[in-house]
Amino acid sequence: MTVNAYVDGIRQGDRVLLSRAITLIESARSEHQQIAREILEKCLPYTGNSLRIGITGSPGVGKSSFIETFGSWLTNEQDRKLAVLAIDPTSQVSRGSILGDKTRMEKLSSDPNAFIRPSPAGDSLGGVAARTREAMLLCEAAGFDTLFIETVGVGQSEVAVHGMVDFFLLLLLPGAGDELQGIKRGIVEMADLIAINKADGDNIEPAKTARQEYARALHLFPPKNSGWSPKAVTCSALSSDGMAAIWDLLIDFQKITKETGWFLQNRKEQSKRWLHEQLEHELKRLFFSNENVRQNIKSIEQAVVAGKMPAVNGVGELLALFTQSSLPVVKENQKD
Ligand code: GDP
């Protein structure tokens, strides 16, 4: 398969080729990565035309159910084309623990206007996030105009998702405070919208109370650069209540932030940050996979532990070993 064949296929919305290109992105083999980079570069002019929405919340809050209900509502009622991706750093061993079990999203899995891809596996959050971001760009080139990036609400992965989306949605349960739901304060502060899910049956009243409390709490945070004031709503993935209201808010958000210029500015800043993060990630990878470093790091470590070498000197020696062994490569590149 040539790079052009992949790009043409993706541009025509061929989901099989889109899937295969994402597999190339996720592959550890350098020849695959090379093709993936070329595909990505050729697809780049066709990216950016979607609304990128991050969705988080603790396990059990109803993320899969919400994505299934809201996603189906968007494809059926709003004619949107939806791609659902995920970042789950906990699935490094058991590949794709979130979104992995597609039976949890039965309707969306068979929806011709939806595309679901589980979290890539990887040995670091940085690597996993990189693969998801690249997959996101390919989905846009394939014509998906709405992207959901799902993650679990327990740690650093929220920050990674927040750094690649336009809008950040936090799902919470009625009744318990956010600490009890395992949500850190910083995550509540990142949210553009808090949706109290499971607002059905006996939970309707507690959900309304929770909504009021969160609406008050959101007011206490400093105003966002986007010019958008975060909101709190109730919804039910079970009954579909609240889906239309959430969509209206998303549309408002897009309108307001495009008017203020923040929408595009934020994407530019995300790209810049992304370049630097990837660079750091790649430098770290190169450093620790360097043969010279690998051969000497243990003995330097032992010398530091034994109190025979100050840590700062150990760092100096390792960096010298790294730069010495990478010098010829640098020279060769410079000649080009
Ligand atoms: P996730 O772990 O966050 O993806 O949560 P799931 O979508 O798997 O949902 C966890 C449980 O909550 C399942 O048993 C769902 O049926 C249930 N659930 C999800 N959304 C709702 C809702 O809106 N109302 C009610 N009553 N139950 C829900």
Side-chain angles (χ1 to χ4, degrees):
M1 276 285 299
T2 63
V3 168
N4 283 340
Y6 272 112
V7 176
D8 291 345
I10 290 169
R11 294 269 293 126
Q12 284 157 20
D14 184 326
R15 303 151 63 103
V16 175
L17 284 183
L18 173 62
S19 283
R20 280 175 57 185
I22 295 176
T23 304
L24 291 175
I25 283 177
E26 292 171 359
S27 167
R29 287 172 56 182
S30 60
E31 67 267 33
H32 288 170
Q33 285 177 4
Q34 184 56 39
I35 306 175
R37 277 188 198 155
E38 288 172 35
I39 296 172
L40 208 53
E41 186 159 359
K42 291 208 162 153
C43 281
L44 208 57
Y46 312 108
T47 63
N49 297 321
S50 80
L51 184 57
R52 304 167 177 171
I53 303 160
I55 299 179
T56 193
S58 299
V61 70
K63 290 182 297 302
S64 306
S65 314
F66 177 84
I67 290 171
E68 165 93 343
T69 303
F70 189 44
S72 305
W73 185 84
L74 285 176
T75 59
N76 288 308
E77 305 291 326
Q78 301 293 328
D79 285 332
R80 303 292 287 204
K81 290 192 72 192
L82 172 73
V84 185
L85 307 173
I87 289 185
D88 181 5
T90 63
S91 70
Q92 287 155 17
V93 185
S94 59
R95 197 186 142 81
S97 71
I98 54 176
L99 289 182
D101 180 4
K102 285 199 187 172
T103 54
R104 291 166 81 207
M105 296 183 196
E106 237 169 56
K107 256 162 67 189
L108 269 191
S109 310
S110 57
D111 185 333
N113 288 315
F115 175 81
I116 302 179
R117 180 87 183 186
S119 174
D123 51 14
S124 69
L125 172 61
V128 171
R131 306 290 89 81
T132 300
R133 190 181 157 107
E134 287 157 11
M136 176 173 102
L137 295 174
L138 292 191
C139 289
E140 288 181 344
F144 291 95
D145 56 25
T146 313
L147 297 184
F148 287 172
I149 318 281
E150 180 190 3
T151 192
V152 277
V154 285
Q156 278 300 309
S157 54
E158 275 64 39
V159 179
V161 171
H162 186 254
M164 63 173 85
V165 297
D166 308 311
F167 188 94
F168 198 67
L169 167 61
L170 171 62
L171 293 178
L172 289 174
L173 293 173
D178 37 281
E179 306 83 14
L180 289 177
Q181 297 186 39
I183 298 290
K184 300 208 174 68
R185 188 193 138 94
I187 294 176
V188 175
E189 198 166 348
M190 284 193 303
D192 294 299
L193 176 65
I194 289 178
I196 314 290
N197 189 35
K198 308 201 186 183
D200 45 52
D202 291 345
N203 266 333
I204 292 181
E205 285 310 314
K208 280 186 187 161
T209 309
R211 190 203 71 77
Q212 280 166 355
E213 281 167 13
Y214 277 107
R216 259 200 302 274
L218 286 171
H219 271 299
L220 300 177
F221 291 130
K224 287 185 184 269
N225 295 336
S226 55
W228 168 255
S229 331
K231 308 275 187 297
V233 296
T234 60
C235 71
S236 166
L238 196 71
S239 70
S240 299
D241 272 356
M243 300 302 139
I246 290 175
W247 184 239
D248 286 347
L249 285 171
L250 275 158
I251 294 299
D252 279 355
F253 170 87
Q254 205 176 8
K255 187 168 172 286
I256 290 171
T257 57
K258 281 192 171 167
E259 273 168 14
T260 61
W262 179 89
F263 191 90
L264 277 182
Q265 192 54 36
N266 178 52
R267 284 196 173 177
K268 284 182 184 168
E269 275 163 27
Q270 285 178 334
S271 297
K272 189 162 92 184
R273 218 164 34 238
W274 192 248
L275 171 75
H276 288 280
E277 278 172 21
Q278 280 305 104
L279 193 58
E280 265 176 51
H281 179 72
E282 190 59 14
L283 277 175
K284 216 162 147 182
R285 194 189 64 74
L286 280 176
F287 180 83
F288 287 107
S289 60
N290 178 280
E291 207 36 52
N292 252 354
V293 171
R294 285 162 66 107
Q295 275 172 17
N296 292 285
I297 196 162
K298 268 272 165 302
S299 59
I300 291 177
E301 191 181 286
Q302 278 161 5
V304 169
V305 171
K308 288 179 184 153
M309 184 191 279
V312 62
N313 296 23
V315 171
E317 284 205 18
L318 283 166
L319 282 176
L321 285 164
F322 176 66
T323 42
Q324 274 160 23
S325 57
S326 22
L327 268 180
V329 180
V330 174
K331 272 186 185 157
E332 235 169 84
N333 284 348
Q334 281 173 346
K335 263 190 268 164
D336 296 339

